[in-house]
Amino acid sequence: MGPLHGIRIVEFAGIGPGPMAAMLLADLGASVIRVDRPEAAASGAPRPHMSAGRPVAGLDLKSEAGLRDARTLVAAADVALEGFRPGVMERLGLGPDDCLAANPGLIYARMTGWGQDGPLADRAGHDMNYISLNGALHSFGRADSGPVPPANLVGDFGGGALFVVTGILAALVERQRSGRGQVVDAAMVDGSAFLMSMILDDRARGAWRDERGTNYLDTGAPWYDVYACADGGYVSVGCIEPKFYTAFLAGLGLAEADLPDRMDPRNWPGLRDRFAAVLRTRSRDEWAEAFAGTDACVQPVLSLAEAPDHPHVRARGTLRRDGDRIYAGPAPRFGRTPGAVTRAPDFPEPELSDVLAEWGVDADLGGARG
């Protein structure tokens, strides 16, 4: 049983950060019921991977019966999680005022891109749009390129899912003191801006420039970059501290005394050329072996297909295989109340009827995927 065992969550189906947040909460032991369209609950209906492992109540929220059933679930829950544009849940009669009136201890978590207020609150957007306006996207890319979107890791999942989970957990802790629920307004534009805190602080101290590819963590510095190898593979080099840099040079067979000052940005192009030339003389795996057991901060860049087979990743169960499917193991880890991977092939997806009985809900709600 995970550390959130006994916490009941109603997840109103959405995409991106909402399902990711619900997946993480379920892995940590929470009991999660996903409210979706009736057809999504039908047997054999396709399920997105991040939505697996949770029973589905197929409810038509525009019908009186569906609305009644949704309110029944929310009344029995600790948390309601929704990711619609502002006003959608209010128009359905499931807004926070309605739900908190029926369940004063409810944590009502709202996951959006722009937040519940502000000039863009009712506008559409995706991960890349949200990180465009807070400076994050501008910071990703090399000096000779435009901004490079970092998949949807920074907005959807880093600034979105993880911050709404943080808000839910904090609100649950506060409820222990007050006995009262509250609304959590988690916006991807806010969360991803918070992730930039160190860079913003560096910029204020004059240690970070707005120009991409000119700084110590954005491929500007030659000792924090990715280099091509003889076989077309890559290695990541992150030897920021002096002792790690010394170990890196030793692995390359270069003497620090023969090289210019690494902290002077004027020397970075020349140092990069020297490092690149040496690293192109061996394959990726040869360099991985050469630097194994050292603190040079050099690692091979593995593909998604290769990553589960790395000894460290395999030993921790960080990534696991199910045929051609790769899925992440539990994170974080707990010593006394370990979580579980609710998308794993051997995880028994609960029946909706069983979960409703555990919640003390005596109703026949929608359908279930089990």
Side-chain angles (χ1 to χ4, degrees):
M1 295 182 181
L4 294 185
H5 177 71
I7 297 297
R8 302 167 177 176
I9 298 175
V10 177
E11 170 201 1
F12 290 92
I15 61 173
M20 169 68 84
M23 180 180 76
L24 175 55
L25 293 164
D27 282 5
L28 295 179
S31 177
V32 182
I33 293 177
R34 179 177 171 88
V35 173
D36 208 337
R37 301 177 309 278
E39 58 268 26
S43 177
R47 290 279 296 280
H49 176 56
M50 289 193 301
S51 301
R54 307 190 289 280
V56 179
L59 306 181
D60 179 2
L61 297 181
K62 295 181 180 180
S63 71
E64 286 299 325
L67 184 58
R68 181 188 64 246
D69 288 346
R71 286 172 172 165
T72 298
L73 286 176
V74 169
D78 297 289
V79 179
L81 172 63
E82 63 96 359
F84 301 109
R85 294 196 209 188
V88 170
M89 293 295 279
E90 284 83 350
R91 289 192 293 274
L92 289 171
L94 290 168
D97 290 344
D98 294 314
C99 292
L100 283 164
N103 182 356
L106 181 71
I107 309 304
Y108 195 102
R110 318 196 79 170
M111 177 71 263
T112 60
W114 302 118
Q116 296 300 309
D117 53 36
L120 296 178
D122 63 349
R123 297 274 69 84
H126 279 295
D127 173 287
M128 182 168 57
N129 306 128
Y130 310 131
I131 67 174
S132 293
L133 294 194
N134 60 20
L137 180 56
H138 178 86
S139 303
F140 297 108
R142 294 185 175 275
D144 57 354
S145 78
V148 178
N152 65 336
L153 301 180
V154 175
D156 277 354
F157 299 141
L162 296 187
F163 276 82
V164 76
V165 168
T166 300
I168 288 169
L169 298 180
L172 286 170
V173 171
E174 193 279 337
R175 191 181 68 174
Q176 293 177 339
R177 297 192 297 269
S178 69
R180 299 170 60 192
Q182 60 181 307
V183 176
V184 176
D185 174 5
M188 288 173 256
V189 67
D190 299 340
S192 54
F194 192 92
L195 294 176
M196 297 291 289
S197 294
M198 188 184 81
I199 289 174
L200 292 171
D201 184 58
D202 282 348
R203 186 179 183 276
R205 296 185 296 104
W208 191 276
R209 298 169 55 194
D210 278 354
E211 293 77 14
R212 282 180 300 280
T214 64
N215 303 289
Y216 70 105
L217 292 178
D218 66 353
T219 74
W223 26 267
Y224 200 88
D225 205 347
V226 175
Y227 288 90
C229 303
D231 61 344
Y234 292 86
V235 292
S236 61
V237 175
C239 49
I240 298 175
E241 292 80 1
K243 62 182 179 180
F244 302 151
Y245 181 68
T246 298
F248 171 61
L249 294 183
L252 295 183
L254 298 175
E256 192 164 358
D258 297 333
L259 299 173
D261 177 14
R262 76 182 186 112
M263 299 308 295
D264 187 342
R266 293 173 297 181
N267 297 328
W268 287 358
L271 282 172
R272 186 184 311 281
D273 290 343
R274 292 288 299 275
F275 299 160
V278 176
L279 289 166
R280 280 196 300 267
T281 63
R282 300 187 194 178
S283 70
R284 181 197 68 178
D285 292 346
E286 287 173 331
W287 283 119
E289 183 177 355
F291 282 106
T294 76
D295 277 341
C297 300
V298 177
Q299 292 294 340
V301 177
L302 303 181
S303 70
L304 293 176
E306 295 173 303
D309 298 321
H310 186 277
H312 185 82
V313 174
R314 186 171 61 245
R316 286 186 59 82
T318 302
L319 292 171
R320 304 175 181 184
R321 291 187 187 276
D322 173 23
D324 293 333
R325 183 167 70 95
I326 297 170
Y327 60 93
R333 311 294 174 87
F334 297 86
R336 186 170 51 81
T337 58
V341 182
T342 54
R343 288 95 48 223
D346 58 350
F347 183 85
E349 183 172 297
E351 292 287 347
L352 178 59
S353 57
D354 294 337
V355 176
L356 292 174
E358 292 173 3
W359 286 27
V361 175
D362 184 16
D364 180 17
L365 305 182
R369 280 288 301 274

